[in-house]
Amino acid sequence: MSASAPSPAVVSEAAGPVPRAEEVLTPEALVFLAELHRRFAPRRAELLARRQERRAGIARTGTLDFLPETAHIRDGDWRVAPAPAALDDRRVEITGPTDRKMTINALNSGARIWLADFEDASAPTWENVIGGQVNMIDAYERRIDFTSPEGKSYALGDPADLATVVMRPRGWHLPERHLTVDGEQIPGGLVDFGLYFFHNAQRLIDLGKGPYFYLPKTESHLEARLWNDVFVFAQDYVGVPQGTVRATVLIETITAAYEMDEILYELRDHASGLNAGRWDYLFSIVKNFRDGGARFVLPDRNAVTMTAPFMRAYTELLVRTCHKRGAHAIGGMAAFIPSRRDAEVNKVAFEKVRADKDREAGDGFDGSWVAHPDLVPIARASFDAVLGDRPNQKDRLREDVHVTAAELIDIASLDAKPTFDGLRNAVQVGTRYIEAWLRGLGAVAIFNLMEDAATAEISRSQIWQWINAGVVFENGEKATHDLVLRVAADELAAIREEIGEEAFAAGKWTEAHELLLRTALDAKYVDFLTLPAYELLAD
């Protein structure tokens, strides 16, 4: 560690008390955060500015293409570092926030991997940011337990059966207002990564399980390069061997889909795979091509499945790219939440999940995501049927796949249109999710689906796109400000009646309603809903 420590990161006086925060925000950890910020925040700012420049270019040209300047990387013969034993078999991954109950349930779920989420499934209250770090430390020290208000007890099972943790920090765009260096807010991703890595790197090495990370919202290989430089510095700083870190990158932006080879190349000594998302990916398409005219108008979000031609092009290219480079290809989310009251709903949903996971395993994916422990056996059966005793199918190179730049953005090939019910659903789900997020909940069960921040992003973005494209729904009504105001008012009234006046008044319903309308109706498109939402977040 550095001989003469510089001034540490400063905790804001506005940060509320969090139990055992002193165990996380140690003087040494705050110095490490300050080092991370001073070294890497300037480049992060440059890369965020570059995103805007690229968006402007897309607005001018209405297209995207593979980068000519990196053709030598795409054509080169290179591979990422071999997977460590704990990441070789990833056939089922469960996702969820790092509250105490979820930490125990996810580790005990039977999934091979737990995506421990400090990002979209966790609203970044100070309590969640710091409390999640406490829970991770306690899990690795096996001193974590939980008793529900109903008296049900939760504790970790046999160490050999616990999931391997892959931690997801916040994306590059999000700040952490409670920690500053030289008067500047530290990027949230550096806070989440830095505290977790500083406290747990050696613990995880001793367990043979890490430290491993999921990298969200990446938009270019230069952003992956920045993460790689963070890893190199951090490993040297705490004195662990280079290459100990492994990172899986979520390909959940349309620009990143054109740079998958390059992203793996930048992280090649630390890369373990790529993941195929859906809601954030669709959100990114709307955001980048929002002024591209009718050919980029997406239908209802539930109509855009992974079998849509442009989504299939993206997922098949991802499998081919990963396997060519010796990396894992991880499939999308099964977000269904089983009903305790309706067996028929479960039966239909389980069949859809099974078909989805069968398709992914058949396409060559090495694993996939679920949002609930009851879905782990279903997903595992799909991958067991293809993998057998093999840990993965990276030897399946998918050389039959040939995807063009145009196919990745051929939205018009999808035979579906926006519907009035789709508009109503976007308002309903967007309002209900934002309200929960403003109360500090990032993973929210809505209409039997586990939703996270990407849900709210695609919901408000589609409303914005449909209005600005002048969409006319099948009932003859045109998407307008006035129509959305009416639908949103109806939804708010329905929620008030559903939950009662007292619960309505105790919630954040008015704020959620207003924020959804502001980000869906303003003429200027807001890049991320979570930025204005963060200003309203209760702490």
Side-chain angles (χ1 to χ4, degrees):
M1 203 172 285
S2 35
S4 57
S7 58
V10 175
V11 181
S12 163
E13 292 181 4
V18 176
R20 299 171 55 197
E22 70 282 356
E23 297 176 34
V24 175
L25 300 167
T26 62
E28 297 82 3
L30 291 173
V31 168
F32 180 55
L33 290 184
E35 288 273 16
L36 288 175
H37 180 85
R38 292 189 180 105
R39 287 172 181 267
F40 301 111
R43 272 177 57 200
R44 173 252 191 182
E46 291 170 6
L47 290 170
L48 292 182
R50 189 177 179 276
R51 288 182 179 182
Q52 298 302 319
E53 294 166 10
R54 191 172 197 183
R55 221 307 286 180
I58 293 169
R60 283 193 308 273
T61 63
T63 192
L64 270 171
D65 204 344
F66 300 106
L67 302 177
E69 65 269 27
T70 54
H72 64 287
I73 292 173
R74 294 192 299 278
D75 296 339
D77 184 17
W78 53 269
R79 292 169 66 83
V80 303
L87 281 183
D88 207 24
D89 189 329
R90 304 178 61 171
R91 68 187 69 199
V92 187
E93 305 194 355
I94 193 167
T95 73
T98 55
D99 60 88
R100 215 156 176 84
K101 179 182 173 183
M102 181 67 198
T103 297
I104 298 167
N105 281 347
L107 290 170
N108 287 340
S109 67
R112 297 299 177 107
I113 304 293
W114 171 35
L115 186 159
D117 201 3
F118 285 79
E119 197 230 2
D120 271 7
S122 180
T125 64
W126 188 234
E127 182 178 2
N128 288 344
V129 168
I130 300 303
Q133 298 282 352
V134 170
N135 293 336
M136 301 312 297
I137 293 169
D138 283 355
Y140 300 140
E141 293 292 319
R142 289 194 66 86
R143 60 183 184 217
I144 190 169
D145 54 30
F146 177 78
T147 302
S148 73
E150 299 77 29
K152 186 176 181 182
S153 296
Y154 299 80
L156 291 180
D158 188 306
D161 297 329
L162 299 182
T164 294
V165 173
V166 182
M167 181 270 207
R168 179 162 73 169
R170 280 169 281 181
W172 280 127
H173 62 289
L174 290 165
E176 173 50 63
R177 64 180 175 228
H178 295 107
L179 283 165
T180 60
V181 174
D182 306 328
E184 297 176 349
Q185 293 179 357
I186 306 179
L190 291 181
V191 171
D192 300 335
F193 164 81
L195 292 174
Y196 180 81
F197 184 87
F198 186 84
H199 291 295
N200 297 303
Q202 192 58 54
R203 284 188 177 100
L204 288 161
I205 291 169
D206 294 344
L207 291 169
K209 287 193 167 188
Y212 308 137
F213 298 92
Y214 258 112
L215 304 180
K217 306 290 190 292
T218 301
E219 296 198 16
S220 74
H221 69 286
L222 297 179
E223 295 179 16
R225 180 183 298 172
L226 176 56
W227 269 119
N228 194 73
D229 290 346
V230 170
F231 297 154
V232 170
F233 170 76
Q235 288 167 125
D236 277 349
Y237 189 94
V238 304
V240 301
Q242 287 296 328
T244 301
V245 167
R246 286 292 191 278
T248 304
V249 180
L250 293 111
I251 302 300
E252 55 186 356
T253 68
I254 185 63
T255 52
Y258 288 84
E259 299 184 35
M260 289 192 271
D261 268 307
E262 294 90 332
I263 286 167
L264 286 174
Y265 182 81
E266 294 295 345
L267 286 157
R268 60 195 180 278
D269 294 332
H270 300 107
S272 62
L274 302 177
N275 166 269
R278 180 156 58 132
W279 297 148
D280 264 313
Y281 190 75
L282 297 178
F283 156 52
S284 174
I285 290 173
V286 174
K287 176 162 59 175
N288 280 285
F289 291 94
R290 60 183 181 263
D291 38 22
R295 68 191 180 101
F296 288 106
V297 172
L298 288 170
D300 304 354
R301 69 167 181 142
N302 292 323
V304 189
T305 68
M306 288 304 211
T307 60
F310 69 97
M311 296 296 281
R312 190 146 180 78
Y314 145 63
T315 55
E316 296 224 298
L317 181 61
L318 187 146
V319 172
R320 173 172 179 152
T321 303
C322 285
H323 289 182
K324 181 180 181 181
R325 305 307 181 184
H328 283 76
I330 307 299
M333 168 72 83
F336 178 67
I337 302 299
S339 169
R340 301 305 179 202
R341 296 185 299 274
D342 196 331
E344 189 57 33
V345 166
N346 290 348
K347 181 181 177 183
V348 172
F350 285 167
E351 282 306 315
K352 288 182 179 178
V353 171
R354 185 174 289 109
D356 189 48
K357 300 310 170 191
D358 285 350
R359 174 190 54 77
E360 288 180 328
D363 283 349
F365 281 96
D366 302 293
S368 189
W369 285 8
V370 300
H372 193 279
D374 287 359
L375 300 183
V376 169
I378 296 173
R380 184 165 57 238
S382 294
F383 282 90
D384 285 351
V386 170
L387 296 177
D389 294 333
R390 296 179 299 152
N392 55 65
Q393 51 182 333
K394 289 191 289 188
D395 57 343
R396 192 172 168 209
L397 298 180
R398 292 305 313 270
E399 291 175 339
D400 56 306
V401 171
H402 301 282
V403 174
T404 66
E407 286 174 319
L408 290 172
I409 49 173
D410 186 13
I411 314 304
S413 65
L414 185 59
D415 185 22
K417 304 292 182 188
T419 69
F420 182 77
D421 281 346
L423 173 66
R424 185 176 298 282
N425 181 260
V427 170
Q428 289 175 324
V429 174
T431 303
R432 290 166 188 253
Y433 181 82
I434 294 168
E435 192 276 335
W437 195 92
L438 293 176
R439 289 187 289 108
L441 300 174
V444 187
I446 303 174
F447 305 147
N448 286 115
L449 293 175
M450 184 60 76
E451 309 286 15
D452 68 9
T455 299
E457 293 285 23
I458 184 62
S459 295
R460 62 95 184 183
S461 295
Q462 289 203 284
I463 297 167
W464 192 99
Q465 184 186 48
W466 293 344
I467 291 171
N468 284 272
V471 164
V472 177
F473 299 115
E474 79 290 349
N475 65 357
E477 293 203 71
K478 185 177 180 180
T480 63
H481 283 63
D482 288 346
L483 177 63
V484 172
L485 288 171
R486 190 185 86 212
V487 171
D490 289 348
E491 170 60 10
L492 201 61
I495 290 170
R496 188 191 295 262
E497 184 175 342
E498 174 189 326
I499 68 176
E501 197 64 43
E502 186 177 343
F504 186 90
K508 298 282 186 180
W509 295 105
T510 301
E511 296 95 323
H513 170 83
E514 291 174 352
L515 183 59
L516 177 71
L517 291 178
R518 172 154 55 106
T519 55
L521 301 182
D522 278 5
K524 186 176 187 301
Y525 181 87
V526 177
D527 278 349
F528 290 98
L529 166 73
T530 44
L531 290 173
Y534 189 44
E535 301 304 314
L536 303 173
L537 184 62
D539 223 3

